[in-house]
Amino acid sequence: MAKRHLKVSGDLGRVIFIEYDLRNTQSLEESVRHSDIVYNLVGRNYPTKNFDLEDVHVEGAERIADAVAKYDVDRFIHVSSYNADIDSPSEFFRTKARGEAVVKGIFPETTIVRPAPLFGFEDRLLHKLAGVTNLLTSNHMQERYWPVHAIDVGQALEVMLHDDSTASQTYELYGPKNYSTAEIAALVDKEILKHRRHINVPKSVLKPAANILNKLLWWPIISADEVEREFIDQQIDPKAKTFRDLGIKPAELSNLTFHYLQGYRSAAFYDLPPATEREKREEKKYLHVIDDQ
């Protein structure tokens, strides 16, 4: 039942879930051996007692690529991350870069996809900022990036399925506008009609504290590497291809916040529609007024 909501439309026998273990080579081979194309979407945002980032992003990716190569699958698309860099101070970004190198070495025709921070249903961006538990932060939420709509990334992956010219290419998939986390938090507060408080804690304090909490608590919580990532802005690889090469125009975040955040409003304002263009223009006329008299 935990994964039932992930099942897409399809008749019985056309969409099938296969249980696998990332450390079990036989289960991976059974999952890919009859495939025409394999997408590797396996990733981990924080380490756990069973799998650290190296286990998932490097060793796991290597086993999947080995299985793809063994059964001569036509296409392999490996979803990595923005800022994948072997010299990054973030372990997450370092392991993502090593994973790319490993799969390319095993299966040279691999298509590498590096999405920016995604927003959409069940995302870790808008919903995290809208929730009451996202209290502690660092760097005053000044990390900058180009958030991308999950639907656009999904469309791009579908285009790659039908276009063999995307093989062996690297794609940076990012949105049309650059934001800081603080700017997105302001948009979120305006949309949910509430003010979420964020307490800035120095990196020297929050990072070791997050490391301890991540080991003690079994549920997902901020990790030391997530704190490190708050100090790293998104860098775009100028050599990589983008949405434009796939004929896709990515959506802008501010046009979709109402769609994804309406559920965080109180019942009194739940059905209040998003502001019209006329209301936005009227609001701008009074932004300079100081209402403290």
Side-chain angles (χ1 to χ4, degrees), residues 49-64:
K49 67 177 183 179
N50 295 319
F51 290 91
D52 60 25
L53 299 180
E54 182 82 13
D55 292 334
V56 179
H57 300 154
V58 184
E59 296 177 10
E62 181 179 12
R63 293 189 188 96
I64 295 172

Side-chain angles (χ1 to χ4, degrees), residues 39-238:
Y39 291 89
N40 178 23
L41 302 173
V42 181
R44 172 61 74 184
N45 199 42
Y46 54 91
T48 66
K49 67 177 183 179
N50 295 319
F51 290 91
D52 60 25
L53 299 180
E54 182 82 13
D55 292 334
V56 179
H57 300 154
V58 184
E59 296 177 10
E62 181 179 12
R63 293 189 188 96
I64 295 172
D66 280 334
V68 168
K70 179 178 179 179
Y71 288 95
D72 198 24
V73 177
D74 293 336
R75 295 289 309 281
F76 181 42
I77 297 177
H78 176 74
V79 179
S80 181
S81 170
Y82 73 102
N83 280 358
D85 182 2
I86 200 71
D87 297 318
S88 175
S90 163
E91 183 186 6
F92 178 87
F93 293 143
R94 289 197 307 272
T95 54
K96 284 291 188 179
R98 287 202 294 271
E100 291 181 8
V102 165
V103 299
K104 276 281 191 180
I106 297 171
F107 197 84
E109 296 82 15
T110 300
T111 302
I112 302 295
V113 179
R114 298 172 181 161
L118 281 82
F119 66 90
F121 288 116
E122 301 184 0
D123 67 17
R124 294 195 185 101
L125 180 58
L126 297 180
H127 293 279
K128 180 180 178 180
L129 293 172
V132 295
T133 59
N134 184 44
L135 185 63
L136 302 180
T137 182
S138 195
N139 196 29
H140 299 279
M141 300 197 296
Q142 292 306 304
E143 173 197 2
R144 302 199 68 88
Y145 42 84
W146 284 264
V148 64
H149 194 199
I151 300 298
D152 293 332
V153 174
Q155 184 182 355
L157 295 176
E158 182 184 8
V159 171
M160 294 173 191
L161 165 66
H162 302 289
D163 187 355
D164 288 339
S165 67
T166 59
S168 305
Q169 303 296 326
T170 298
Y171 288 85
E172 291 262 8
L173 303 182
Y174 53 93
K177 186 174 180 180
N178 183 269
Y179 287 93
S180 70
T181 305
E183 291 168 348
I184 298 176
L187 286 175
V188 169
D189 286 353
K190 184 176 180 181
E191 203 64 74
I192 67 176
L193 304 175
K194 299 174 183 175
H195 177 65
R196 296 304 191 201
R197 188 181 181 190
H198 304 285
I199 301 175
N200 194 77
V201 179
K203 179 181 177 181
S204 59
V205 176
L206 185 58
K207 188 172 180 178
N211 185 49
I212 295 172
L213 288 173
N214 188 246
K215 292 179 178 179
L216 292 178
L217 303 178
W218 61 266
W219 59 86
I221 195 169
I222 189 170
S223 68
D225 195 72
E226 288 179 88
V227 176
E228 184 67 49
R229 274 176 264 158
E230 290 190 28
F231 292 81
I232 305 174
D233 294 339
Q234 181 180 358
Q235 302 295 323
I236 304 298
D237 182 357

